[in-house]
Amino acid sequence: MDSVLLLSALLLLLLPPLPSARAAPAARVVWPGLEERLFPQVRDHFSFETCGNETFPQRYLVSAKFWKKGFGPIFFYTGNEGDIWTFAQNSDFIFELAEEQQALVIFAEHRYYGKSLPFGIESTQLKKTALLTVEQALADYAVLITELKQQFGAADCPVIAFGGSYGGMLSAYLRMKYPNVVAGALAASAPLLSVAGLGDPTQFFRDVTADFQKSSLGCVTAVRKAFQQIKDLCLSGAYDEISSKMATCNKISNKEDVYQLFGFARNAFTMMAMMDYPYKTDFMGDLPANPVKVGCEQIIAHKDPIEGLSALVGVFYNSSGLAQCYNIYQLYQSCADPTGCGIGSDAEAWDYQVCTEINLTFNSNNVTDMFPEMPFTEAMREHYCWNKWRVRPRAHWLRTNFWGEDLKSASNIIFSNGDLDPWAGDKQQSQPFTDCTYH
């Protein structure tokens, strides 16, 4: 199938079908036929010395269940900042399209994440992280696609890249950087402007606030009241009361603990907004259907605003209902990404990336959003990154290397966002593109 026609077909499939009173819900496809494999990937694509002659096992998943061998397209998922199985198990949409288009499906794991570790368990140690870049990851994907097309006898099969959030950025970048390899891309929730340092630093937490405001008119008011009461108790030194009402495992004893508590709580709102699906999910945390609505119901049901806030954040941090208290330093670790890095080795790798190329200097200000004032300036980021990784961010590199907001030369890219997506405010609304579509 011609690549432009294929991408047009995918766009039509993205449009919601006409409602039907008799229509039965579609059966849920569960990652059919995925097989885990390893590919000997080059450590350093841009050097012909030392690491350039060495390889590491890059993990990828492949399913040929629906593929029309030698003729059907290839759907290639550009892996994000985590274990590739996590993304594959939450991407039923790709398999639905694959069945429709008779496509080969490939999920590629991003270097330094999951099991694709260039230096094994030492990969996120100082002096081992230099090869963790967007450019190296894109080269991994281009090489992998080229090799797999040969292995599968798919030389003439067009490749469509898929990705969400950071993976959405990568799918767009892959089309822009390697148009000879990828015929088109679907970039979902891809914050191309923000990561290039071109976004509004207040946008993200303003949009998270808007999500909760849409769910319940009284929700944001209750949240503001809870944070203000915690701040007032802090100023009066009533740390025990804060600890008791927020159910922290360790006593809050100073302003630094309160600031950590604010970050811990704000992170719960962030995750619930990003994962506000109309069905239960275990993607990036076990959450009920419509977690924003559930969270708002929790805080509004409590007479005490702080106790209500504790119940609300429990929708994310205590989905089982079994935890008796919150270890705020263990459950949330501040990093160079104010929207959250997570915890564990994958979180360390992401922290390094947002200390180098990727710009996410968002802040909350308690004016355009409901959260406590928590600034995160470029100077603060630079100070943190030098102390943690001995690197200095290159704030303007992505707009130079990947065109910033000037995408007039880009083609065959669909940029999609949901109405409740906190990243939706990042998309370009005004610039017309002949061959790029916003949906």
Side-chain angles (χ1 to χ4, degrees), residues 258-281:
V258 172
Y259 200 80
Q260 174 69 16
L261 178 66
F262 284 160
F264 159 85
R266 190 181 68 174
N267 185 62
F269 285 91
T270 296
M271 299 305 297
M272 291 161 67
M274 291 197 295
M275 301 295 113
D276 194 23
Y277 303 138
Y279 49 81
K280 292 176 63 176
T281 180

Side-chain angles (χ1 to χ4, degrees), residues 31-281:
W31 345 298
L34 274 179
E35 178 184 341
E36 181 177 311
R37 297 182 183 179
L38 297 175
F39 176 75
Q41 188 59 263
V42 177
R43 266 186 182 165
D44 186 355
H45 295 281
F46 309 109
S47 171
F48 292 92
E49 301 176 11
T50 316
C51 289
N53 295 318
E54 299 170 351
T55 63
F56 72 95
Q58 181 183 15
R59 182 166 59 164
Y60 68 96
L61 314 176
V62 61
S63 172
K65 179 173 182 178
F66 303 122
W67 189 40
K68 186 176 182 180
K69 185 174 176 60
F71 295 95
I74 298 171
F75 290 170
F76 186 89
Y77 186 92
T78 50
N80 317 32
E81 65 279 26
D83 187 302
I84 193 60
W85 276 107
T86 300
F87 301 105
Q89 292 169 351
N90 288 276
S91 300
D92 294 352
F93 170 67
I94 294 177
F95 292 106
E96 292 169 5
L97 290 182
E99 185 172 16
E100 177 78 19
Q101 299 291 329
Q102 298 180 299
L104 177 69
V105 178
I106 299 169
F107 284 81
E109 191 163 67
H110 194 299
R111 59 170 51 206
Y112 283 83
Y113 294 98
K115 293 183 178 179
S116 300
L117 306 175
F119 299 98
I121 60 174
E122 297 179 352
S123 293
T124 53
Q125 294 183 6
L126 288 177
K127 306 296 185 183
K128 300 287 188 181
T129 51
L131 299 178
L132 175 51
T133 66
V134 171
E135 294 80 4
Q136 295 281 3
L138 293 176
D140 288 344
Y141 296 153
V143 168
L144 180 60
I145 290 170
T146 303
E147 292 294 325
L148 292 183
K149 287 184 78 172
Q150 289 185 349
Q151 290 182 24
F152 281 91
D156 297 325
C157 298
V159 179
I160 304 297
F162 287 77
S165 192
Y166 172 51
M169 291 165 44
L170 294 176
S171 65
Y173 289 164
L174 191 62
R175 167 61 186 169
M176 292 156 61
K177 207 74 169 177
Y178 298 97
N180 58 313
V181 176
V182 174
L186 172 58
S189 302
L192 266 66
L193 296 184
S194 295
V195 299
L198 295 168
D200 177 355
T202 68
Q203 170 264 318
F204 186 83
F205 291 111
R206 181 188 67 226
D207 287 355
V208 171
T209 299
D211 283 353
F212 282 81
Q213 184 71 31
K214 290 174 185 176
S215 177
S216 171
L217 293 177
C219 189
V220 168
T221 301
V223 171
R224 285 184 180 275
K225 186 179 294 185
F227 280 126
Q228 184 59 50
Q229 287 189 8
I230 292 174
K231 185 177 179 180
D232 292 342
L233 289 171
C234 174
L235 291 174
S236 65
Y239 297 120
D240 286 348
E241 187 173 347
I242 298 173
S243 303
S244 175
K245 289 184 175 182
M246 281 299 297
T248 61
C249 296
N250 299 312
K251 294 289 186 181
I252 301 293
S253 60
N254 51 49
K255 292 180 180 179
E256 289 72 25
D257 287 345
V258 172
Y259 200 80
Q260 174 69 16
L261 178 66
F262 284 160
F264 159 85
R266 190 181 68 174
N267 185 62
F269 285 91
T270 296
M271 299 305 297
M272 291 161 67
M274 291 197 295
M275 301 295 113
D276 194 23
Y277 303 138
Y279 49 81
K280 292 176 63 176
T281 180

